[in-house]
């Protein structure tokens, strides 16, 4: 199997885990697929790094949107990188960014570039449409 195919398969494992809705499955998969000191460049301010940062992102998202679903729209793999474009949907049922649950549904887009090293995720760059997410939750006027 080519490096690009191996990296796409590793990405697929993460995608399957996050759509399980089970934080324990997600954390275990992150431990297996993500380097402990992974560099994370995304619009998610926090005081953690590496695997812990990614685990914290999913803990926050699952608490806020227990039915969250990530639909992969496009995947492009070349060399040591995989690029994917997603549509994320969910219902706001828990605290999120200081907002109490609204019961509102959200649908927003994101694009990630993931760099692999030795078959594991070493670095992630993410662009998430947080504006659309917050607008749909009523935190930003339409």
């Amino acid at each position: 199997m080519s490096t690009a195919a191996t990296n796409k398969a590793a990405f697929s494992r993460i995608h399957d885990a996050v759509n399980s809705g089970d934080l324990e499955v997600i954390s275990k998969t992150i431990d297996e697929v993500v380097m402990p000191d992974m560099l994370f460049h995304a619009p998610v301010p926090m005081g953690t790094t590496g695997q812990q940062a990614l685990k914290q992102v999913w803990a926050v998202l699952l608490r806020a949107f227990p039915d969250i679903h990530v639909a992969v729209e496009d995947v492009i793999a070349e060399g040591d990188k995989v690029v994917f474009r997603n549509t994320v949907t969910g219902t706001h049922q828990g605290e999120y960014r200081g907002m109490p649950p609204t019961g509102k549904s959200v649908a927003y887009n994101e694009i990630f570039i993931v760099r692999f090293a030795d078959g594991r995720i070493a670095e992630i760059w993410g662009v998430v449409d947080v504006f659309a997410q917050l607008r749909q939750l009523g935190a930003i006027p339409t």
Side-chain angles (χ1 to χ4, degrees):
M1 190 179 319
S2 72
T3 300
T6 300
N7 294 345
K8 277 176 75 172
F11 157 73
S12 186
R13 287 188 59 207
I14 290 281
H15 178 255
D16 291 346
V18 300
N19 279 329
S20 75
D22 184 331
L23 190 55
E24 191 173 318
V25 169
I26 295 168
S27 292
K28 183 175 184 251
T29 305
I30 289 170
D31 287 341
E32 294 169 1
V33 178
V34 177
M35 292 192 156
D37 59 349
M38 175 221 35
L39 298 173
F40 195 33
H41 315 282
V44 284
M46 64 189 72
T48 60
T49 59
Q51 289 176 341
Q52 292 309 311
L54 200 52
K55 289 177 185 181
Q56 183 174 337
V57 164
W58 282 103
V60 167
L61 287 172
L62 282 172
R63 183 176 60 244
F65 306 97
D67 63 343
I68 195 165
H69 180 77
V70 180
V72 177
E73 307 294 345
D74 290 301
V75 179
I76 303 164
E78 185 173 316
D80 66 348
K81 292 191 178 76
V82 176
V83 178
F84 52 98
R85 180 176 66 87
N86 301 323
T87 300
V88 181
T89 56
T91 309
H92 184 212
Q93 299 174 27
E95 183 278 328
Y96 182 66
R97 294 182 179 248
M99 288 181 286
T102 63
K104 294 180 179 181
S105 294
V106 296
Y108 59 93
N109 299 306
E110 57 187 17
I111 298 172
F112 287 94
I113 302 170
V114 178
R115 182 179 62 82
F116 286 80
D118 300 321
R120 294 177 79 188
I121 295 171
E123 194 163 7
I124 298 174
W125 294 266
V127 178
V128 178
D129 192 350
V130 175
F131 180 79
Q133 180 190 71
L134 294 176
R135 186 177 40 74
Q136 292 170 52
L137 293 175
I140 298 174
T142 54

